[in-house]
Amino acid sequence: MLKLLLICTLAVASRAEIVEEDDVLVLKKSNFEEALNAHPNILVEFYAPWCGHCKALVPEYAKAAGMLKADGSVVRLGKVDATEETELAQEYGVRGYPTIKFFKGGEKESPKEYSAGRTADDIVAWLKKRTGPAVATLAGVTEAESLIADSEVAVIGFFKDVDSDGAKAFEKAAEATDDVPFALAASDDIFAKFEVSKDSVVLFKKFDEGRNTFDGELTKEDLLAFVKSNQLPLVIEFTEQTAPKIFGGEIKSHILMFLPKAAKDFDDKMDEFKKAAEGFKGKILFIFIDSDVDDNQRILEFFGLKKEECPAIRLITLEDEMTKYKPESQAITAESIIGFCKLFAEGKLKPHLMSQDIPEDWDKTPVKILVGKNFEEIVFHPSKNVFVEFYAPWCGHCKQLTPIWEKLGEKFMDNADIVVAKMDSTANEIETVKVHSFPTLKFFPAGDERKVIDYNGERTLEGFSKFLESGGKDGGAPAGDDDDDMDAEDLDDVDEGQDMDSDGEDDDGHDEL
């Protein structure tokens, strides 16, 4: 008996304790598998204590955990300090913070990437869609009212015959939507309460006009387009919480208004911006950025703006390559913004490329200074081999490279065929060269072919010297083979980047743009 008691005691003691903080499970390598066994459905956030976005998520994540617990849900939320649990983070391919993954049914091999917003409501809605039926059935008016009251956005299909083709198309659209709850209503009292007289689909929301009624052919594709064009406000403010919705959506053309909320004419300018947005719903996303917020300063810098230059309007496309556009008029009126958007839609705008003025002493130092205005002339000179560092003033890796790069310039300064140069890519943009991370090193060999070779060798004086002396062969690769491509959301995650170590910089020696 004593032996059995001892065995049981040891078995219990060997189980790793799962601590909770604000209803969130604190997970480690030692208790991760046990947590999955005890709670088959867990949303897990891999975070870094120094990460600003992770800190901003803390209250919303805890609120979501509490909401699920209060509802009696079996779904739990957990968190892993990826800077401490490096083995666990590596196992699940964590490359940036926060990374959020959903483990369903105790399955640990292929967790689903979380893809919705960063508010408690977003998190709960996404999890309910992932663990419950794609479409809820509303028994009466009270259930319908509760769904609408509890959801920022909800879609109700009003169908007398729930087996009709329209209802089936509605269900298919629901299955393809992660972040909005869908429900079916068939009873006469629900139809009457919401003044619906025939089969239709209505999107209810807590902003703008309050509800939108679908008007078109009931197909999965048309219903999805309807939801996507109406589920966001006419004007959405850029914040930590809204960033995933902004960058993760299907609308890749964004117009941004940079304006301090404290401005006396804030409401007037916002009204003009909203008026302009009405005609481009589902085509161009209208975004407001508070130019006084410290966390938004890097975004201003990305567009070549300073706080004192705001209010300002810019447009950007987030396709394979980001392209920026600047209106000719600085006026923030519905008329001027509509005209600007129409020219963009018609393909009549030229990209806006930033450039500093050419410094008077640009060629007086061993490392030549390039800007947008002299770039083409220097790097594509037919008799020069030009090696360029594209850098950012705030980039830690760039700062580490500076003394080596200057020594390289000194070594080759008397070589008439070789030019060692640098360009601040936060203030200068080139149509022919897209920079995705810092520092980026590219070699432009002499000739008329306008070739570009990426440098992928060691960042040492010896490595750079061999590369130049070999004509770009030793340590080079054709341009375009760089793996450090920037995602659209990196505009939001500029401080966290990807492949981060505990110092906030990536392990492969790049800072993301």
Side-chain angles (χ1 to χ4, degrees), residues 320-382:
D320 292 337
E321 295 288 355
M322 291 187 185
T323 306
K324 305 171 192 172
Y325 301 90
K326 176 183 176 181
E328 289 186 6
S329 170
Q330 295 184 2
I332 297 183
T333 64
E335 183 181 2
S336 64
I337 295 168
I338 289 170
F340 179 51
C341 290
K342 282 184 176 179
L343 288 174
F344 166 74
E346 294 167 0
K348 295 179 179 178
L349 292 180
K350 289 185 177 180
H352 172 61
L353 300 173
M354 297 185 296
S355 177
Q356 296 172 305
D357 291 330
I358 302 173
E360 291 183 8
D361 60 347
W362 74 271
D363 60 347
K364 300 296 189 292
T365 55
V367 176
K368 312 308 176 190
I369 300 172
L370 302 183
V371 296
K373 294 177 180 178
N374 68 352
F375 184 85
E376 289 268 332
E377 177 186 355
I378 305 304
V379 303
F380 292 118
H381 193 288

Side-chain angles (χ1 to χ4, degrees), residues 170-192:
F170 180 77
E171 187 168 355
K172 287 180 181 177
E175 290 169 351
T177 306
D178 286 334
D179 52 350
V180 177
F182 279 59
L184 270 174
S187 66
D188 291 339
D189 56 342
I190 302 179
F191 270 67

Side-chain angles (χ1 to χ4, degrees), residues 112-150:
K112 173 76 176 177
E113 292 286 342
Y114 176 74
S115 57
R118 292 179 185 170
T119 67
D121 288 340
D122 290 331
I123 294 168
V124 171
W126 190 88
L127 287 169
K128 284 183 176 179
K129 286 295 293 285
R130 286 286 162 189
T131 54
V135 180
T137 300
L138 301 175
V141 170
T142 302
E143 285 189 18
E145 289 178 329
S146 295
L147 174 67
I148 295 167
D150 293 343

Side-chain angles (χ1 to χ4, degrees), residues 420-446:
V420 178
K422 64 179 181 180
M423 188 176 83
D424 179 354
S425 286
T426 68
N428 300 278
E429 295 172 318
I430 307 301
E431 193 168 2
T432 53
V433 177
K434 301 298 181 182
V435 177
H436 300 123
S437 59
F438 301 120
T440 288
L441 307 175
K442 292 183 182 286
F443 179 62
F444 302 82

Side-chain angles (χ1 to χ4, degrees), residues 102 106 112 174 176 187 201 209 246 261 292 306 325 337 339 345 351 367 383 398 410 436 459 481 509-510 512:
F102 181 51
K112 173 76 176 177
S187 66
V201 174
E209 60 268 60
I246 290 171
K261 272 188 177 178
D292 276 348
K306 297 177 182 177
Y325 301 90
I337 295 168
V367 176
S383 66
C398 302
E410 291 169 1
H436 300 123
R459 292 183 191 169
D481 287 354
H510 287 82
E512 292 295 316

